[in-house]
Amino acid sequence: MTKAPLLLLLAMSWGLLNAQTRYLDKVFSAVDVTSNVEYAVNMSILQGLPPVQQSLKLDIYTPAGDTVTNRPVVLIAGTGNFLPLVFNGGPLGQKTDSANVEMCKQFALRGYVAISYEYRLGWNPIGNDDARRSTILQAAYRGIQDTRTAIRFLRKTVAVDGNPYGIDADKIVAGGLGTGGYLSLGSAFLDQPAEINLLKFINLNSTPPLPYVIPQVFGNYEGSDTTYLPTTDTAGNPIFLLMNLPSHIGYSSDFNMAFHLGGALGDSSWIQDGDMPVVSIHSPADSNAPYNLGNVIVPTTGDIVIPDAAGGLLVQSIQNRFGNNQIFVDAGFNDVITQSSNSNLEALYSFNAVAPRADTQCVTSIPGYPISSGDPDSGPWNWYSEASFIGTWDFLGGQPGNPITGMEANCAYLVGNLNDPARSKRFIDTAVQYLAPRMALVLELNTVGIQDYVLRENLRVYPNPAKDVVRMETADGSRPLVSATLFDLTGRQVRQLSNLNNTRAEMQVGDLPHGLYLLEVRATEGRFTQRLLVE
């Protein structure tokens, strides 16, 4: 080989060394945002009956300067307890919540089209037990319909509108934060009418007993049919109230994968053999959504609204038993992020919730409210502007039935929420790093690059700088080292170890001239190149 090709090889290796992998790493420096795109109009009961039409909107985040026009899509549903902020007793509940925005940016910087979308809100938190349970279950059902409607909208933009957002309609992931986790999980697993006719979803106090969610009234789970509620007007005349107004009929609502940060699945029986891969990010200390099998509690009222729901641990136990996550298991992820999970169960990132501030105590106009200690912060991805929340609370007159001031409401929220922007951003970065390689596998993005990524994240090269010997070690026993080759700055091979078949190797470098080298390490799956300084 002549010197010119060697230099070319070196230049290519150096470029690969410094390059990052699209969809796995942040390969862009900025994002563009298209805000308030209407994706549907449907019937809302936020103000009660009769329903009124509501325009549903989404914000689209794309990598700035990108030339790719068929990019995978990730949808993000935010939190909020199915009520607007302030009315839900807290500062969150919009598609522009800080966590939504940050997560969308993180994915867009990696080359995705990321979408934060709003869904219909509204339920009766002050009614009797049946009213609370029925209306919040109906709210969650509408949110699932809206999720699937947003997916149909995206496919319509490709087929009819010339693909203005540059998406690949065959590569879609649905995710949710907090309350949005119920929507992403429900959208992934709710696919049969019988699943909402389980005994716990039946109002046994009605005559005759009726399901809390009746598809003939509220529409099918895809939200793709027109339905009416038969009732009477004030004069007793029969009328029919429009309850579901479908959009983008004829386009598929299907998607490839789901994930959730918090939230839960209505019932574990919804998971079946052959369902899509799902990733769970959840804390065992979550006080509102069960980590395993337990009750769903709405923070707005503290009431149980879904008994025996399935949290992240139970979801992934069943998913892995069915083999629905086998694609992740086969990849053998053992990177630092994966190892930082408190669970050895694939596709479950389990994290420790941070204890509430010991010195937080709020004095309000209601004796004993709130208490001076709260539940651990199990939603560390959330943060907000305290000044904005206080001002909005006071401007709107506070939460109905709650006479405390904005200052008191903010203090109450901080009892169990740290509201630390830097920490929240770090957590979202960790969550996206856990999700990104798994999403890339399911969507078949850079599948070869995935193996290089897994090796990169598992490989330890030390010491660097090296004086006498450099050691290579991989934590993944199923992916042993095959060879290690050292090149100097002319592209000349100066050392090589072959037929290693081990997770550890050593290379002597003490007799080499001081300077920079390129060390290429190959394993049974994957290749990684790293700079090495010999002193």
Side-chain angles (χ1 to χ4, degrees):
M1 183 179 292
T2 63
K3 187 173 183 179
L6 284 171
L7 291 175
L8 178 61
L9 174 63
L10 175 64
M12 292 174 62
S13 297
W14 196 268
L16 289 172
L17 175 66
N18 291 281
Q20 294 177 307
T21 304
R22 185 183 179 113
Y23 306 124
L24 300 178
D25 303 303
K26 298 176 187 176
V27 297
F28 294 92
S29 59
V31 303
D32 295 323
V33 184
T34 304
S35 301
N36 295 319
V37 176
E38 183 179 271
Y39 75 88
V41 174
N42 210 335
M43 308 310 296
S44 169
I45 64 163
L46 183 59
Q47 306 301 325
L49 295 177
V52 297
Q53 290 191 5
Q54 177 186 350
S55 172
L56 296 170
K57 298 178 180 179
L58 48 79
D59 297 339
I60 302 172
Y61 296 73
T62 55
D66 191 18
T67 58
V68 174
T69 57
N70 59 335
R71 297 166 292 205
V73 181
V74 55
L75 292 103
I76 307 293
T79 194
N81 305 320
F82 298 110
L83 289 172
L85 77 164
V86 173
F87 289 91
N88 61 22
L92 306 172
Q94 301 181 99
K95 61 181 171 59
T96 53
D97 285 347
S98 298
N100 293 50
V101 172
E102 179 65 19
M103 181 159 274
C104 283
K105 286 181 176 178
Q106 288 266 5
F107 280 116
L109 290 172
R110 287 169 167 81
Y112 282 85
V113 174
I115 295 175
S116 177
Y117 68 102
E118 60 189 18
Y119 48 88
R120 286 171 290 170
L121 308 176
W123 62 289
N124 182 7
I126 59 175
N128 59 32
D129 290 346
D130 285 328
R132 285 194 297 269
R133 179 171 296 183
S134 64
T135 54
I136 199 168
L137 287 172
Q138 291 158 13
Y141 189 75
R142 286 190 292 271
I144 293 171
Q145 292 175 323
D146 294 341
T147 300
R148 291 184 167 272
T149 298
I151 292 171
R152 292 199 302 274
F153 165 78
L154 293 174
R155 290 203 166 95
K156 190 268 292 184
T157 66
V158 175
V160 177
D161 302 330
N163 198 11
Y165 310 115
I167 70 170
D168 185 338
D170 294 323
K171 299 182 186 300
I172 299 177
V173 174
L177 311 175
T179 306
Y182 296 96
L183 304 189
S184 60
L185 284 172
S187 298
F189 295 119
L190 177 60
D191 55 8
Q192 298 178 43
E195 291 173 337
I196 54 175
N197 288 328
L198 300 175
L199 183 61
K200 67 181 180 182
F201 298 133
I202 302 293
N203 183 357
L204 300 177
N205 294 320
S206 66
T207 304
L210 292 171
Y212 287 120
V213 177
I214 303 174
Q216 292 80 1
V217 173
F218 298 102
N220 59 38
Y221 57 85
E222 292 188 333
S224 60
D225 57 350
T226 303
T227 56
Y228 299 87
L229 173 66
T231 185
T232 57
D233 61 17
T234 55
N237 299 312
I239 60 173
F240 294 87
L241 302 178
L242 179 62
M243 296 297 290
N244 188 69
L245 183 62
S247 298
H248 321 304
I249 303 304
Y251 297 98
S252 172
S253 303
D254 294 341
F255 55 103
N256 307 87
M257 173 182 160
F259 67 84
H260 68 108
L261 281 70
L265 182 63
D267 195 82
S268 62
S269 67
W270 294 4
I271 305 174
Q272 299 294 321
D273 187 4
D275 279 334
M276 70 177 65
V278 172
V279 170
S280 300
I281 300 176
H282 209 163
S283 168
D286 194 327
S287 59
N288 300 312
Y291 176 70
N292 190 7
L293 176 68
N295 299 323
V296 173
I297 298 174
V298 178
T300 309
T301 63
D303 296 312
I304 297 173
V305 292
I306 305 177
D308 297 330
L313 177 61
L314 183 56
V315 166
Q316 297 309 334
S317 297
I318 298 173
Q319 279 283 95
N320 285 287
R321 186 171 74 242
F322 280 138
N324 296 341
N325 287 337
Q326 193 62 37
I327 190 172
F328 303 146
V329 175
D330 291 342
F333 293 113
N334 197 32
D335 53 277
V336 173
I337 298 298
T338 299
Q339 291 181 40
S340 68
S341 170
N342 291 330
S343 168
N344 292 325
L345 195 61
E346 175 52 56
L348 172 61
Y349 187 88
S350 176
F351 63 93
N352 292 325
V354 177
R357 301 174 181 177
D359 59 347
T360 299
Q361 185 165 4
C362 308
V363 178
T364 75
S365 54
I366 303 176
Y369 177 86
I371 59 176
S372 59
S373 62
D375 296 314
D377 184 5
S378 56
W381 48 85
N382 292 316
W383 81 96
Y384 67 99
S385 165
E386 295 183 29
S388 177
F389 174 48
I390 292 169
T392 302
W393 181 284
D394 290 335
F395 176 77
L396 295 176
Q399 183 186 27
N402 190 344
I404 66 175
T405 67
M407 188 73 73
E408 294 168 332
N410 182 62
C411 186
Y413 191 81
L414 291 177
V415 166
N417 299 270
L418 299 188
N419 196 32
D420 183 342
R423 172 174 172 264
S424 294
K425 290 179 180 179
R426 289 194 301 271
F427 187 91
I428 291 174
D429 189 65
T430 296
V432 173
Q433 287 185 67
Y434 187 83
L435 286 164
R438 291 164 174 83
M439 290 168 55
L441 266 182
V442 173
L443 301 179
E444 299 181 345
L445 309 171
N446 299 322
T447 304
V448 174
I450 287 288
Q451 301 304 330
D452 295 343
Y453 170 86
V454 172
L455 176 62
R456 182 187 79 185
E457 298 300 308
N458 277 277
L459 182 65
R460 182 185 176 204
V461 176
Y462 66 98
N464 190 4
K467 291 183 178 180
D468 299 314
V469 64
V470 59
R471 296 177 177 86
M472 292 146 282
E473 180 178 323
T474 176
D476 189 351
S478 65
R479 193 177 276 100
L481 301 175
V482 173
S483 65
T485 307
L486 193 66
F487 298 93
D488 65 15
L489 293 186
T490 70
R492 180 173 61 93
Q493 177 180 307
V494 296
R495 288 285 189 279
Q496 184 175 45
L497 303 175
S498 303
N499 302 317
L500 295 175
N501 195 30
N502 205 322
T503 58
R504 297 181 180 182
E506 292 186 356
M507 179 181 288
Q508 299 296 324
V509 296
D511 59 333
L512 294 176
H514 297 179
L516 276 174
Y517 295 82
L518 286 180
L519 177 64
E520 180 190 77
V521 180
R522 292 178 180 266
T524 51
E525 294 182 76
R527 179 185 66 174
F528 180 60
T529 304
Q530 178 172 321
R531 292 190 189 99
L532 177 69
L533 178 61
V534 175
E535 292 183 339

